[in-house]
Amino acid sequence: GAVVSQHPSRVICKSGTSVKIECRSLDFQATTMFWYRQFPKQSLMLMATSNEGSKATYEQGVEKDKFLINHASLTLSTLTVTSAHPEDSSFYICSASLKGSGNQPQHFGDGTRLSIL
Amino acid sequence: SQKIEQNSEALNIQEGKTATLTCNYTNYSPAYLQWYRQDPGRGPVFLLLIRENEKEKRKERLKVTFDTTLKQSLFHITASQPADSATYLCALDLGSSNTGKLIFGQGTTLQVKP
């Protein structure tokens, strides 16, 4: 149980393109979803916390107009990287938890490798 | 400043031995601490959660300790196997007032040799 599907797994596109990444909880309803970015050999850096039906909460230094998050239902959140540039190339990972509180494990998707040429 | 630190050097051990990984933190007061396993190119997988009032937690060959005085958690894998080779991440969970978000360490890579 607690399976999270993330799509696509890899994207290669030209600079200036907008890229949408989907995160779905397949067998549970996720009140809260999280979006992370991970550079090689580094930790997961939280970008934003997404709650169904409300605006996402972004971490300090993350541009909300650059990284658009939509949490339309209890099973789907999307991250759109707008007008992507090479410095946005990274490994983006989503996770979901059953409720937005402590004492809950997070269930992760398998990530999206984004490469901007 | 607030920090969470794991040994960035890879840990190499022989199959059958016990692997011990360390997670230290500064200027945080986590209510819980979680451990995850991450394989290359994959998302992390949850392993164990331990509360601040628990000193030790076990699950099969895994054992986690949590010392809030030392601000340290130790993660042990007994009778290690080559299949245990992966990167292990500790994460601080600040509790219910924090919407469940986690603060991750950079991870320690474990290599178990046959």
Side-chain angles (χ1 to χ4, degrees):
Chain A
V3 178
V4 174
S5 173
Q6 189 172 339
H7 180 79
S9 59
R10 185 171 182 100
V11 179
I12 302 173
C13 57
K14 292 181 180 179
S15 186
T17 308
S18 291
V19 177
K20 180 187 274 190
I21 302 169
E22 291 189 350
C23 181
R24 293 181 185 272
S25 55
L26 298 186
D27 52 359
F28 68 104
Q29 292 188 325
T31 305
T32 305
M33 289 185 172
F34 303 87
W35 287 96
Y36 296 85
R37 183 164 50 183
Q38 186 176 35
F39 292 105
K41 297 193 185 300
Q42 293 189 26
S43 183
L44 280 76
M45 298 303 297
L46 180 66
M47 299 174 68
T49 302
S50 166
N51 290 296
E52 182 262 342
S54 61
K55 289 184 180 180
T57 302
Y58 290 81
E59 294 299 302
Q60 192 171 17
V62 178
E63 299 175 57
K64 61 181 181 181
D65 294 331
K66 172 77 172 176
F67 300 99
L68 299 178
I69 292 172
N70 187 332
H71 194 154
S73 73
L74 285 171
T75 59
L76 174 64
S77 176
T78 61
L79 167 69
T80 301
V81 184
T82 61
S83 186
H85 292 288
E87 59 267 27
D88 298 321
S89 298
S90 188
F91 190 49
Y92 292 85
I93 314 177
C94 72
S95 71
S97 68
L98 284 170
K99 54 181 180 178
S101 65
N103 191 24
Q104 294 292 320
Q106 290 185 17
H107 307 284
F108 286 82
D110 268 342
T112 297
R113 175 76 56 194
L114 176 62
S115 300
I116 307 298
L117 304 177
Chain B
S1 62
Q2 294 176 313
K3 287 191 298 186
I4 173 170
E5 291 180 313
Q6 295 182 254
N7 193 339
S8 57
E9 291 182 17
L11 178 63
N12 296 297
I13 64 168
Q14 207 65 34
E15 182 177 8
K17 301 293 185 184
T18 296
T20 298
L21 287 69
T22 305
C23 176
N24 295 295
Y25 59 92
T26 308
N27 292 327
Y28 283 113
S29 297
Y32 315 94
L33 194 145
Q34 302 187 21
W35 282 88
Y36 290 78
R37 168 185 173 139
Q38 186 176 23
D39 290 283
R42 307 291 298 271
V45 174
F46 171 74
L47 297 174
L48 280 169
L49 178 152
I50 186 166
R51 294 175 172 74
E52 61 179 337
N53 60 355
E54 294 179 311
K55 291 199 182 306
E56 183 180 296
K57 196 101 172 255
R58 290 175 187 260
K59 178 182 176 184
E60 297 173 353
R61 294 185 295 113
L62 308 181
K63 184 178 85 171
V64 171
T65 63
F66 191 8
D67 189 324
T68 55
T69 301
L70 290 179
K71 297 187 181 299
Q72 180 182 79
S73 176
L74 298 179
F75 177 80
H76 306 273
I77 305 175
T78 58
S80 59
Q81 304 165 0
D84 295 326
S85 299
T87 296
Y88 291 87
L89 306 167
C90 69
L92 304 184
D93 179 342
L94 301 184
S96 59
S97 64
N98 203 45
T99 68
K101 73 178 186 181
L102 298 175
I103 303 160
F104 282 88
Q106 75 271 35
T108 297
T109 298
L110 172 67
Q111 187 72 35
V112 181
K113 297 182 179 178

